[in-house]
Amino acid sequence: MKKIETYVLNGFLGSGKTTLLLNMLRHYKKERIKVAVILNELGAVNVESHLFGDQSVFELLNGCICCTIQEDLYHTLRSLSVQHIDENIDILLIEGTGVAHPREVTGVFSRSDIAEIFLLKSTIGIVDASHFLDYLSIFASSKEIRTLLKEQVQQSTIVLLNKADRINEKEKVKIQKKIETILETNVPVYFTTYSDIEMTKIRKQTQIPDNNKINTHHHPQHHGDIVTLKVENVPVVEKRTFTKWLSSLPKDVIRVKGLVQLKNEDYLTHVQYADNVVRYTKLGKEDKRSTVLIFIGRELKSGMLDSFSNELL
């Protein structure tokens, strides 16, 4: 039986992993290629399930795929191998959290029973080019984040320097030079916008980096000071006020995503916040989920949300 081609999408918070995943799914759907998806989230709820339509998605929630729920990944792969017999799956796409170390994700595929079914084709590293140099600065981030970003790049067989539309040519040169000091020389690097790239450039990558060359610190909390905060049952909010409040959050808040009920709207709205940009997507009447907001960032404290109740509720 033909093995399932497997692609691991890795990259820091807000880099564009989900956008690339959706781009790949659209491409494969046109080509009538059977795809399975494993999606990992730090929070206890996936607020983006509506993005995948009728695509079957295996969700690994409330933990990082590369540490606390690594065994869940193994058992999910075992389930997929059984499903493969009936459905003949062609491709598996795995999106890790923004704090996942790809070395430990891909390590699951070294198990003999997994290697019999799955061919680890490529590890795709997505980098937020507009913030990459800041994240690597000793003045702007923690040692844990700097180490994580470097390892995410080092463990990639192809690197997408995403959000290229948000940087100038001088910045592109600086970023490319920095990437070259981290990467092996034979790893292709592409500047992208909205994670848009030809699928042929991704599918031809087959060489997985040697894990023994990477100095990884094994620690159950190796994503350091990145934490999540969840606010459930969010009351109705006014769009302009809510947008202004999100834009006023401290820089330690790297991402916000969730489901909210906007004033004068009949149905839920999906909200995403990153890089001081807020995006809203209206949902339909069939979406019966509860309102919730997930905050992801560095050393977040529950007290930082006091202004939420003071200003919006």
Side-chain angles (χ1 to χ4, degrees), residues 71-308:
E71 282 303 305
D72 287 350
L73 172 60
Y74 169 74
H75 291 298
T76 300
L77 291 172
R78 290 289 299 162
S79 296
L80 268 174
S81 65
V82 174
Q83 182 177 335
H84 178 47
I85 296 174
D86 296 327
E87 299 186 16
N88 195 24
I89 299 168
D90 299 303
I91 288 177
L92 169 62
L93 304 178
I94 302 177
E95 180 187 343
T97 71
V99 294
H101 285 260
R103 173 185 183 180
E104 296 177 0
V105 177
T106 57
V108 177
F109 292 88
S110 63
R111 300 191 188 189
S112 58
D113 54 341
I114 299 300
E116 287 179 1
I117 305 297
F118 299 90
L119 172 63
L120 186 54
K121 186 82 170 177
S122 182
T123 301
I124 308 165
I126 303 97
V127 172
D128 178 354
S130 66
H131 285 81
F132 186 63
L133 296 180
D134 286 338
Y135 284 146
L136 289 182
S137 168
I138 61 174
F139 303 106
S141 67
S142 66
K143 180 180 178 181
E144 289 86 356
I145 290 177
R146 295 194 300 274
T147 300
L148 171 63
L149 261 67
K150 288 179 181 179
E151 290 181 0
Q152 286 179 335
V153 171
Q154 287 174 324
Q155 282 289 283
S156 299
T157 57
I158 178 173
V159 174
L160 309 188
L161 298 177
N162 198 34
K163 302 186 180 180
D165 56 320
R166 305 189 66 177
I167 57 176
N168 57 40
E169 291 302 319
K170 186 176 180 180
E171 290 171 321
K172 286 183 179 181
V173 172
K174 287 183 179 180
I175 293 167
Q176 198 148 20
K177 286 183 178 179
K178 186 64 177 179
I179 287 289
E180 288 172 358
T181 67
I182 300 173
L183 270 177
E184 297 286 345
T185 55
N186 62 339
V187 175
V189 178
Y190 302 97
F191 281 102
T192 61
T193 299
Y194 297 110
S195 301
D196 186 18
I197 186 171
E198 295 178 14
M199 290 301 108
T200 54
K201 292 179 178 178
I202 288 177
R203 295 194 70 179
K204 70 180 180 181
Q205 306 308 318
T206 57
Q207 183 179 356
I208 302 302
D210 183 355
N211 287 335
N212 295 321
K213 294 181 180 179
I214 310 300
N215 181 23
T216 300
H217 299 280
H218 296 279
H219 191 283
Q221 297 296 328
H222 61 275
H223 41 73
D225 50 9
I226 299 295
V227 297
T228 63
L229 289 176
K230 180 172 68 170
V231 177
E232 298 179 291
N233 301 316
V234 180
V236 176
V237 293
E238 198 277 322
K239 185 175 182 179
R240 174 182 282 186
T241 305
F242 186 53
T243 301
K244 184 178 179 181
W245 180 80
L246 286 173
S247 299
S248 71
L249 289 172
K251 290 184 178 180
D252 285 340
V253 180
I254 300 174
R255 285 213 67 190
V256 180
K257 53 186 177 180
L259 305 169
V260 296
Q261 180 72 53
L262 296 178
K263 187 177 180 181
N264 299 322
E265 293 287 345
D266 294 329
Y267 309 117
L268 289 177
T269 294
H270 176 232
V271 59
Q272 293 191 75
Y273 168 82
D275 303 337
N276 209 32
V277 175
V278 185
R279 294 185 175 87
Y280 295 98
T281 304
K282 293 182 179 181
L283 304 178
K285 63 180 180 180
E286 70 282 354
D287 200 316
K288 303 299 183 182
R289 290 175 290 176
S290 300
T291 56
V292 62
L293 287 172
I294 307 294
F295 297 80
I296 308 174
R298 296 185 287 261
E299 299 182 336
L300 302 184
K301 309 293 184 183
S302 57
M304 62 159 282
L305 301 181
D306 289 346
S307 63
F308 182 80

